[in-house]
């Protein structure tokens, strides 16, 4: 059994502890990675805080870039020595997977969030005492020196690019850029307003620059993040703590509202504003997740009158084997400059990295593992 060091989340609200763990041997379609960089996403911290259900003790981490060090007997898409980005898991067998929509996999929650095991219930991780630990988080559990993934959720990428820049492509960058490029697809003359200028929202701003959207408006409460949004291509910013975003969107669009909005913060007030700020016939993409069970009301006469489309988008509606290489190529050619979002920390400083992200000082913390 391969042995690794992992940052283990023992219980909700407790600091990570560095422990020796053992990984299961790769099954036919599985891949063993030496993790070289792994981003911290809000979802990791939300699980660690006890707000998103995942069974603890366990190993989180779902934005790995690594080197393949072992493959199961049926793996054809990658080979030892390859650099890969690890992304979300999907079963490959259910109707949405077969129809090319793995983000809507029938087993998505079990495979990525709540399961802690493979779908058949077998553990992939063990503590040094031999007891099973929860793993398989997004099919990877990559806050560790080694991670077990599968041939469906690793994507080979060029080996000559900085690993820290590619880490977010497995979740945050894919989520923000995919929402814009795969779903919202703003047209010439359109205004896109992005609520939340974190890693997902800023990736959406970067992607919006690749479209013909005329106006790209970032909405947040944090002045530093709004400055960064401007530097990355937002044509206007709105500080939601100082002015009403719905009124600001109306003013910036000659009274029409935004043809496209994207809610990335998970705040229901922001979601209401993102819908209220739409132009007639506009589309609001929802990627930010409030706590389970959260509802918002719909004004039905306004629904009929204004015809908004409100679309939930998971992982940027990505087909990872196609979309991630495309994003990586955009990065390589300077057209998706995600370096501006990234701050690196040594793996041992995972707590400091988490703290900096929570304070808003750091947009995308990436842990480097040597
Ligand atoms: C999240 C999005 C919100 C629900 C849980 C999964 N995706 C990535 O971190
Ligand atoms: Zn994530």
């Amino acid at each position: 059994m391969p042995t690794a060091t992992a940052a283990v989340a023992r219980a909700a609200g407790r600091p990570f502890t560095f422990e020796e763990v053992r990984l299961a041997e790769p099954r036919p379609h599985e891949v063993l990675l030496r993790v070289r960089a792994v981003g911290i996403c809000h979802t990791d911290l939300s699980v660690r805080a006890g707000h998103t259900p995942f069974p603890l003790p366990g190993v989180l981490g779902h934005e790995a870039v690594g080197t393949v060090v072992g493959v199961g007997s049926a793996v054809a898409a990658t080979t030892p020595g390859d650099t890969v980005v690890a992304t979300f898991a999907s079963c490959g067998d259910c109707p949405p997977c077969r129809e090319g929509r793995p983000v809507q996999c029938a087993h998505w929650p079990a495979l990525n969030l709540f399961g802690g095991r493979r779908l058949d219930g077998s553990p992939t991780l063990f503590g040094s005492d031999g007891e099973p630990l929860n793993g398989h988080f997004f099919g990877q559990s990559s806050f560790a020196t080694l991670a077990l993934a599968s041939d469906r959720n690793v994507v080979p990428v060029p080996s000559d690019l900085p690993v820290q820049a590619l880490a977010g492509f497995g979740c945050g960058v894919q989520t923000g850029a995919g929402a814009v490029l795969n779903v919202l697809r703003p047209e010439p003359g359109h205004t896109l307003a992005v609520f939340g200028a974190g890693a997902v929202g800023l990736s959406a701003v970067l992607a919006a620059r690749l479209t013909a959207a005329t106006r790209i408006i970032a909405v947040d409460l944090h002045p530093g993040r709004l400055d960064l949004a401007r530097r990355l291509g937002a044509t206007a910013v709105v500080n939601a703590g100082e002015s009403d975003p719905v009124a600001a969107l109306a003013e910036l669009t000659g009274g029409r509202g935004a043809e496209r909005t994207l809610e990335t913060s998970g705040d229901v007030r922001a979601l209401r504003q993102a819908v209220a700020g739409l132009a007639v016939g506009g589309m609001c993409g929802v990627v930010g997740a409030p706590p389970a069970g959260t509802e918002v009301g719909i004004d039905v006469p306004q629904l009929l009158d204004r015809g908004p489309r409100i679309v939930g988008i998971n992982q940027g509606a990505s087909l990872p084997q196609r979309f991630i290489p495309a994003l990586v190529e955009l990065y390589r050619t300077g057209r998706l400059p995600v370096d501006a979002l990234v701050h690196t920390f040594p793996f041992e400083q995972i707590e400091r990295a988490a703290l900096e992200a929570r304070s808003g000082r750091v947009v995308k913390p990436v842990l480097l593992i040597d």
Side-chain angles (χ1 to χ4, degrees):
M1 270 190 166
T3 306
T5 302
V8 178
R10 283 260 145 218
R14 307 293 308 156
F16 293 105
T17 53
F18 286 91
E19 301 180 22
E20 192 180 293
V21 298
R22 293 198 180 130
L23 287 84
E25 296 289 348
R27 287 189 177 173
H29 281 283
E30 290 179 339
V31 175
L32 187 66
L33 310 181
R34 179 169 72 77
V35 180
R36 292 163 60 200
V38 55
I40 301 180
C41 168
H42 178 72
T43 304
D44 297 303
L45 301 178
S46 161
V47 169
R48 198 269 290 260
H51 299 150
T52 296
F54 174 79
L56 300 178
V59 177
L60 307 172
H62 66 282
E63 287 188 337
V65 181
T67 304
V68 175
V69 292
V71 293
S73 57
V75 173
T78 185
T79 169
D82 283 355
T83 301
V84 293
V85 166
T87 183
F88 66 90
S90 57
C91 77
D93 246 0
C94 66
C97 279
R98 288 187 181 277
E99 289 159 14
R101 290 176 283 111
V103 296
Q104 293 173 348
C105 172
H107 302 288
W108 209 92
L111 279 170
N112 291 282
L113 286 168
F114 314 138
R117 318 261 156 155
R118 297 185 183 97
L119 262 193
D120 67 5
S122 58
T124 55
L125 269 182
F126 303 85
S128 52
D129 55 3
E131 285 299 310
L133 274 175
N134 290 293
H136 211 277
F137 187 63
F138 282 74
Q140 54 183 290
S141 285
S142 46
F143 287 161
T145 54
L146 291 175
L148 190 66
S150 92
D151 54 4
R152 286 187 60 78
N153 78 321
V154 298
V155 180
V157 293
S159 58
D160 61 341
L161 297 173
V163 285
Q164 65 270 23
L166 303 186
F169 285 59
C171 182
V173 173
Q174 166 169 269
T175 296
V180 173
L181 299 176
N182 296 330
V183 182
L184 295 177
R185 304 174 87 123
E187 295 166 17
H190 278 182
T191 295
L192 168 70
V194 178
F195 287 72
V200 173
L202 291 172
S203 296
V205 167
L206 289 175
R209 275 176 44 177
L210 300 169
T211 74
T214 304
R215 290 184 204 81
I216 306 168
I217 303 172
V219 183
D220 201 296
L221 295 163
H222 196 288
R225 292 191 167 200
L226 291 173
D227 284 346
L228 183 54
R230 247 191 216 288
R231 290 205 295 281
L232 295 180
T235 58
V237 300
V238 176
N239 187 325
E242 290 170 0
S243 41
D244 170 27
V246 179
L249 288 186
E251 193 182 324
L252 287 161
T253 57
R256 279 196 319 278
E259 287 79 9
R260 300 286 186 265
T261 58
L262 180 65
E263 204 312 280
T264 73
S265 73
D267 180 317
V268 290
R269 218 166 32 148
L271 176 54
R272 285 192 203 100
Q273 292 164 349
V275 175
L278 282 175
V280 169
M283 192 191 310
C284 171
V286 184
V287 306
T294 304
E295 297 185 355
V296 291
I298 301 171
D299 180 323
V300 180
Q302 275 208 12
L303 186 72
L304 302 180
D305 187 34
R306 299 186 60 82
R309 284 168 288 171
I310 302 170
V311 190
I313 310 170
N314 188 14
Q315 295 286 329
S318 169
L319 197 55
Q321 307 293 347
R322 187 172 70 191
F323 192 51
I324 290 178
L327 292 177
V328 170
E329 207 44 35
L330 288 168
Y331 168 71
R332 176 202 284 291
T333 52
R335 297 169 69 206
L336 193 72
V338 294
D339 305 87
L341 312 183
V342 170
H343 275 74
T344 60
F345 298 84
F347 186 30
E348 304 72 49
Q349 291 184 17
I350 187 169
E351 288 299 341
R352 188 163 79 82
L355 210 68
E356 299 275 337
R358 204 165 36 225
S359 73
R361 284 189 295 272
V362 166
V363 175
K364 172 54 70 187
V366 175
L367 307 169
L368 294 178
I369 305 182
D370 43 38

